[in-house]
Amino acid sequence: MAGFERRARVADRIRVILSERLQKGLRDPRLGFVTITDVRVTGDLQNASVFYTVYGTDEEREGTAAALKAATGLLRSEVGRGLNTRLTPTLEFFADALPEEASHLTELLRKAHEQDEQVHGLAANATYAGDADPYRHDDEDDRDA
């Protein structure tokens, strides 16, 4: 098994090779504006999971997924030429859900901020239900005795 440092170097090199190749373009009109976000390589350097994002609509995302699946052999050949390893890892492409999750978290934070503002507005005019300080203090115990 390859060490963590070697796996990280191989994964980074695969990401660079694929990014450069996709920047040049493929002859597939379905391919949209793709960004390779991450590559993870197994410990034996046999398989690589490639995570990508696509800027565009759902149809463009689906078209890009189909184009990447169709071009997997070509892209694997490019990776094989660019790596100095005995074996070329198989490539598997996954759409990265990070942008959708980030926008969802941003929306949740916005809602939480609005609710905090509402609570702050209610607390500004609020009064205590009982005494201002409902706790007993030591100096009061001395006066009561």
Side-chain angles (χ1 to χ4, degrees):
M1 294 198 58
F4 176 76
E5 295 84 15
R6 182 158 186 233
R7 281 190 297 165
R9 284 193 316 262
V10 169
D12 188 49
R13 184 69 186 138
I14 290 171
R15 185 182 58 78
V16 168
I17 292 168
L18 290 175
S19 296
E20 288 173 355
R21 181 61 179 106
L22 291 173
Q23 188 176 12
K24 292 178 188 175
L26 297 175
R27 292 182 182 162
D28 196 332
R30 299 175 293 180
L31 188 67
F33 184 72
V34 180
T35 302
I36 304 296
T37 56
D38 192 19
V39 175
R40 296 183 188 151
V41 179
T42 58
D44 58 0
L45 304 177
Q46 295 284 325
N47 300 310
S49 299
V50 180
F51 296 89
Y52 67 93
T53 58
V54 179
Y55 182 75
T57 63
D58 289 336
E59 294 82 25
E60 290 173 334
R61 290 185 186 112
E62 292 171 7
T64 298
L68 288 174
K69 186 173 182 176
T72 300
L74 171 76
L75 294 173
R76 184 172 182 227
S77 298
E78 288 279 331
V79 168
R81 276 187 235 118
L83 287 180
N84 293 326
T85 58
R86 186 170 58 91
L87 299 171
T88 302
T90 59
L91 302 177
E92 192 171 0
F93 291 93
F94 297 98
D96 198 353
L98 186 66
E100 289 83 17
E101 290 177 12
S103 64
H104 178 67
L105 285 175
T106 302
E107 181 64 23
L108 289 175
L109 288 172
R110 186 191 60 75
K111 287 180 183 178
H113 182 68
E114 288 176 359
Q115 291 173 351
D116 286 347
E117 292 294 325
Q118 290 174 353
V119 169
H120 182 68
L122 292 173
N125 299 328
T127 59
Y128 292 106
D131 294 332
D133 187 7
Y135 301 104
R136 292 190 88 166
H137 298 284
D138 291 336
D139 58 345
E140 293 175 358
D141 292 338
D142 294 339
R143 284 186 288 182
D144 292 340

